[in-house]
Amino acid sequence: MVNSDIPDNTQSDSHQVSDKDITSLKELMDEANRIVIFTGAGISAESGIATYRGHGGIWTKYDAEKYASIDYFRRDPSYYWNFFKDVRHDMMADAQPSASHIAVAELERQGRVSSIITQNIDNLHYKAGSKRVLELHGNTTRFYCCDCRAPYTMTEAKNILDERLPPLCLKCSGVLRPDVVLFGEMLPADVIDEAHREAQMCDLMIVIGSSLVVYPAANLPYQAKSSGAKLVIINIDPTPLDSVADLYIHRPAGEVFPQAAGMKDE
Ligand code: NAD
Ligand code: ZN
């Protein structure tokens, strides 16, 4: 719904299939010179990776408080590595970019999108062909040694894991860990600084599939808006920032974003 519109009580703001959403989004995109895309777990729901919150929230026999916590990882890295072996490896290896990931990459290739800021750790923006991806929470398909910080690909980590649990560094025998920001850890300062610069410089930020309740990441759309950019939010469930957005659309991203980006027939 366009916030400047006169409220139309005949239109519920969720699940209303209305081409007006696509038209309004397309207009804002056509007017923009520098678009920044901000994504959360919702964009990857259409790639079969469950979100934590909202529609289709995550289900797993593993407890995120354990596999995603630095304190727990230090105490018992095997818990994470069992979760990886059992669930995460195949989920991440098999996942394919959604139509929205592909549309974002195509807009970047055309020079219309300057960067993608993501809370996701699933590598799908890169798989779709995006180049300038600011990963606020890291990437769960990359690994490194806790001691010497030597990097490992997912295949290398998996091969070592097949021999030994938890997998150890081939150089120094330190424990391998995922290159993600675990609960209890700081966001990477260089990435967050760059994301703030991008938020300040863009003239349109499009949020796709984020509940916008996880801070400090959710500050970025606020910052874009207060620096004069237009703000669009595409998320199935309402978010706390809908009231400041120029346009919000409570529908699955794949229903609106690829079309608005000109990737699919309407
Ligand atoms: P979130 O799980 O809090 O919220 C996801 C939002 O996506 C929900 O509000 C839901 O309404 C919406 N959504 C679901 N399907 C959608 C669709 N098809 N189209 C549009 N919207 C849809 O996600 P978040 O705000 O990104 O924060 C959760 C944290 O969990 C992040 O920090 C992230 O690191 C992590 N996480 C990452 C992944 C991933 O990498 N794919 C998956 C789960 C959680
Ligand atoms: Zn090492």
Side-chain angles (χ1 to χ4, degrees), residues 40-42 44-46 49-55 58 119-122 137 209-214 234-237 251-253:
S44 298
E46 291 165 7
I49 299 178
T51 62
Y52 285 156
R53 299 180 186 78
H55 278 72
I58 212 159
Q119 299 179 85
N120 296 340
I121 55 176
D122 55 27
H137 298 161
S210 175
S211 57
L212 296 179
V213 297
V214 179
I234 307 168
N235 199 62
I236 295 183
D237 294 294
R251 290 165 61 185

Side-chain angles (χ1 to χ4, degrees), residues 88-109:
R88 179 155 278 175
H89 174 269
D90 288 356
M91 183 192 273
M92 293 299 161
D94 296 346
Q96 293 304 319
S98 66
S100 297
H101 288 106
I102 291 165
V104 168
E106 178 57 21
L107 291 174
E108 186 189 10
R109 203 190 57 73

Side-chain angles (χ1 to χ4, degrees), residues 22-220:
I22 296 172
T23 311
S24 305
L25 175 56
K26 188 173 182 320
E27 277 170 15
L28 286 169
M29 290 170 73
D30 287 347
E31 284 162 13
N33 291 313
R34 193 180 173 105
I35 303 174
V36 166
I37 307 286
F38 178 99
T39 62
I43 193 172
S44 298
E46 291 165 7
S47 297
I49 299 178
T51 62
Y52 285 156
R53 299 180 186 78
H55 278 72
I58 212 159
W59 177 88
T60 165
K61 65 179 175 173
Y62 291 90
D63 180 357
E65 306 257 319
K66 292 183 179 170
Y67 69 71
S69 143
I70 185 60
D71 286 344
Y72 204 87
F73 186 84
R74 286 198 185 113
R75 227 178 303 151
D76 178 16
S78 299
Y79 190 89
Y80 167 83
W81 284 107
N82 275 316
F83 161 72
F84 174 83
K85 200 170 190 164
D86 219 14
V87 182
R88 179 155 278 175
H89 174 269
D90 288 356
M91 183 192 273
M92 293 299 161
D94 296 346
Q96 293 304 319
S98 66
S100 297
H101 288 106
I102 291 165
V104 168
E106 178 57 21
L107 291 174
E108 186 189 10
R109 203 190 57 73
Q110 293 169 3
R112 297 175 67 195
V113 159
S114 62
S115 63
I116 299 104
I117 303 171
T118 188
Q119 299 179 85
N120 296 340
I121 55 176
D122 55 27
N123 202 42
L124 289 178
H125 284 297
Y126 283 124
K127 259 193 186 171
S130 281
K131 303 277 184 258
R132 198 165 144 67
V133 187
L134 302 173
E135 296 175 310
L136 300 174
H137 298 161
N139 183 319
T140 193
T141 69
R142 295 192 303 252
F143 298 84
Y144 66 90
C145 166
C146 289
D147 292 345
C148 76
R149 301 187 75 85
Y152 288 83
T153 64
M154 186 155 75
T155 309
E156 289 166 344
K158 175 76 166 51
N159 287 342
I160 303 172
L161 178 65
D162 286 342
E163 304 296 320
R164 196 189 184 290
L165 189 140
L168 300 182
C169 177
L170 299 175
K171 299 184 175 110
C172 79
S173 299
V175 174
L176 300 193
R177 60 162 287 172
D179 188 3
V180 295
V181 178
L182 297 172
F183 296 135
E185 294 186 305
M186 304 282 284
L187 270 58
D190 51 340
V191 180
I192 194 93
D193 286 353
E194 193 55 31
H196 279 297
R197 268 195 294 279
E198 287 291 324
Q200 259 165 14
M201 284 180 347
C202 69
D203 58 4
L204 174 63
M205 179 175 281
I206 305 176
V207 174
I208 308 177
S210 175
S211 57
L212 296 179
V213 297
V214 179
Y215 281 84
N219 281 324
L220 291 158

Side-chain angles (χ1 to χ4, degrees), residues 12-18 21 55 236-237 249-252 255:
S12 119
D13 60 12
S14 65
H15 311 300
Q16 188 77 41
V17 178
S18 132
D21 289 335
H55 278 72
I236 295 183
D237 294 294
I249 300 173
H250 294 163
R251 290 165 61 185
E255 245 182 45

